[in-house]
Amino acid sequence: MYGKVREQLTETLSEIRSAGLYKTERQLDTAQAAHVESGGKPVLNFCANNYLGLANHPRLVAAAKDALDEWGFGMASVRFICGTQTQHVELENRLSALLSMEATILFPSCFDANGGIFEVLLGAEDAVISDELNHASIIDGIRLSKAARYRYKNRDMADLEAQLIAAKDARRRLIVTDGVFSMDGYLAPLEAICDLAEQYDAMVMVDDSHAVGFVGETGAGTPEHCGVSDRVDIISGTLGKALGGASGGYISAHAEIVELLRQRARPYLFSNAVAPSVVAGSIEALNLVAEGAESRAKLKANAEQFRAGMAEAGFTLLPGEHPIIPVMFADEHEAVAMADALLALGVYVIAFSFPVVPLGKARIRVQLSAGHSSEDINRCVEAFVAARKSIAAEEHTWK
């Protein structure tokens, strides 16, 4: 039977390659950092979610090592059987305090957190209103629920209001948005969203994976940045980006929501608890966030320096203030060629194309870190310029 299936899959893979959409996985020869090695060659890393440079921070590594001795390697259990250590509860409490929420529940990943909440909170008589560019985990999580589904145009408040009106007869209405849209670096207009939610009696959920730790005065994310921390009902997030970059996710929300998730969320009930060393390292990451005003300022300055340098060099950037900075290309093949040329010049970035982003909107998503120096950023801009010249010499069209 598989003989025919193999032919079909091979044809599909060939079509992906021909369209310039095939994704390869480069291997790192070192720990995650702003400076890494790949293929035995030192390169500058400008594509990690390592916003605060904590993925290989000595204090996190030391905390994780100590946890191996004190708490062991793995839990070998789900939370409600024998998978809850006191440090799991400590981490949940620390996240609740940072985010100004009543309670927090850990999941194996934010994908699991988003995959578990909607079917628990919403039934057939309810409605979920989702931004069209929300993360895939939100889309998949919504599909698992029986709620009526409404979608509004990205950050379009008039369309959001229209969908809220369309959902007026639902028992519960939940607006869900990314806090930061990871392919664009755009921030959600949370104040306006909360205004509409209050007008139409809806709850608000924010996936703040690309913000917690470094956006906002204390690193509490986009609700803090937008001044609506007390108006957001649910925050989902990850430990796998700014907070050390390992694994694990969470839902922070009203106490009753978290309590119900502990009883019914399938990814929580049927998955092993987050590993002890990850928990310990994440707690130390929160300690560094509490001390991290200087790191957040450095990250902001790095993003501003890169934007200024690339704009001066004539590259097309999406506007914004986030350290995710997309460099846009009209052609998928050109974006891939640029990424390959940049790697040869010592800059590690990745081209994004369909289906991760819409067709015709290919990009190289540059991600700044507090671990980058000013010299690193200058070298990156210079490499983009050199790569563009190299591609032009090979008769690629530059736009």
Side-chain angles (χ1 to χ4, degrees):
M1 170 60 192
Y2 186 66
K4 291 183 179 179
V5 174
R6 177 187 285 116
E7 292 177 4
Q8 294 164 357
L9 299 183
T10 300
E11 182 179 354
T12 299
L13 288 167
S14 178
E15 291 171 354
I16 293 172
R17 287 189 178 92
S18 298
L21 308 178
Y22 192 85
K23 297 160 188 63
T24 58
E25 297 180 1
R26 299 169 181 163
Q27 297 181 30
L28 298 186
D29 308 325
T30 62
Q32 183 65 270
H35 292 241
V36 296
E37 290 187 9
S38 180
K41 176 183 176 182
V43 292
L44 290 172
N45 185 359
F46 277 91
C47 60
N49 297 313
N50 191 22
Y51 295 109
L52 295 174
L54 301 184
N56 196 35
H57 193 286
R59 281 172 53 178
L60 267 68
V61 173
K65 285 180 178 179
D66 290 344
L68 287 171
D69 292 331
E70 181 177 359
W71 299 102
F73 177 69
M75 291 310 303
S77 175
V78 300
R79 287 285 297 273
F80 80 94
I81 298 178
C82 59
T84 300
Q85 295 172 329
T86 55
Q87 65 165 357
H88 287 87
V89 178
E90 179 186 354
L91 176 56
E92 288 172 336
N93 290 339
R94 290 287 302 276
L95 286 166
S96 297
L98 172 65
L99 302 176
S100 300
M101 303 299 278
E102 289 182 353
T104 295
I105 176 174
L106 293 174
F107 284 83
S109 69
C110 188
F111 205 107
D112 285 318
N114 288 337
I117 187 169
F118 298 102
E119 65 174 338
V120 171
L121 195 60
L122 304 174
E125 62 271 56
D126 303 318
V128 58
I129 305 100
S130 178
D131 190 291
E132 65 177 350
L133 295 187
N134 277 341
H135 191 266
S137 59
I138 293 175
I139 296 169
D140 288 357
I142 290 172
R143 288 171 176 164
L144 293 172
S145 79
K146 295 180 180 179
R149 305 165 195 173
Y150 299 84
R151 185 173 64 177
Y152 65 96
K153 296 175 184 178
N154 180 234
R155 303 177 301 140
D156 186 326
M157 295 300 94
D159 195 26
L160 172 57
E161 184 171 20
Q163 302 311 314
L164 284 165
I165 292 170
K168 64 182 174 62
D169 294 328
R171 179 189 63 165
R172 299 173 185 163
R173 285 161 296 282
L174 175 64
I175 303 168
V176 57
T177 180
D178 284 1
V180 176
F181 295 92
S182 61
M183 287 298 111
D184 300 320
Y186 294 150
L187 274 62
L190 292 186
E191 184 176 6
I193 289 173
C194 289
D195 288 345
L196 286 170
E198 291 171 4
Q199 181 179 348
Y200 291 96
D201 192 24
M203 296 180 292
V204 176
M205 174 178 169
V206 179
D207 179 334
D208 224 18
S209 293
H210 286 274
V212 170
F214 63 96
V215 172
E217 184 179 353
T218 69
T222 54
E224 180 181 53
H225 176 78
C226 296
V228 295
S229 295
D230 59 341
R231 301 171 69 191
V232 171
D233 299 284
I234 303 166
I235 297 174
S236 65
T238 182
L239 306 175
K241 292 181 172 47
L243 301 181
S247 61
Y250 56 86
I251 295 286
S252 291
H254 301 289
E256 299 81 5
I257 292 174
V258 169
E259 186 176 358
L260 188 60
L261 289 172
R262 292 194 193 280
Q263 303 306 311
R264 292 186 175 176
R266 291 166 67 86
Y268 178 80
L269 292 170
F270 296 100
S271 298
N272 268 12
V274 179
S277 57
V278 173
V279 174
S282 299
I283 291 172
E284 188 60 30
L286 290 176
N287 292 335
L288 287 165
V289 167
E291 305 165 11
E294 185 176 339
S295 293
R296 289 190 287 276
K298 179 68 162 61
L299 178 59
K300 184 176 184 292
N302 283 352
E304 291 172 351
Q305 179 185 345
F306 181 78
R307 282 189 179 278
M310 291 291 283
E312 184 178 351
F315 287 88
T316 300
L317 311 177
L318 292 185
E321 56 187 301
H322 194 272
I324 290 175
I325 304 177
V327 185
M328 303 301 292
F329 301 90
D331 178 80
E332 282 76 11
H333 294 278
E334 184 178 35
V336 171
M338 278 289 292
D340 290 341
L342 284 163
L343 184 62
L345 292 166
V347 173
Y348 190 136
V349 291
I350 296 295
F352 287 86
S353 56
F354 182 83
V356 180
V357 297
L359 281 170
K361 294 187 177 180
R363 66 200 65 186
I364 290 175
R365 185 183 67 175
V366 175
Q367 292 177 264
L368 279 298
S369 167
H372 290 125
S373 68
S374 179
E375 181 183 4
D376 292 339
I377 296 168
N378 288 336
R379 285 178 56 194
C380 183
V381 173
E382 291 166 1
F384 264 93
V385 172
R388 180 173 63 187
K389 291 179 179 178
S390 173
I391 291 173
E394 297 173 6
E395 297 183 346
H396 285 270
T397 301
W398 170 254
K399 293 184 180 179

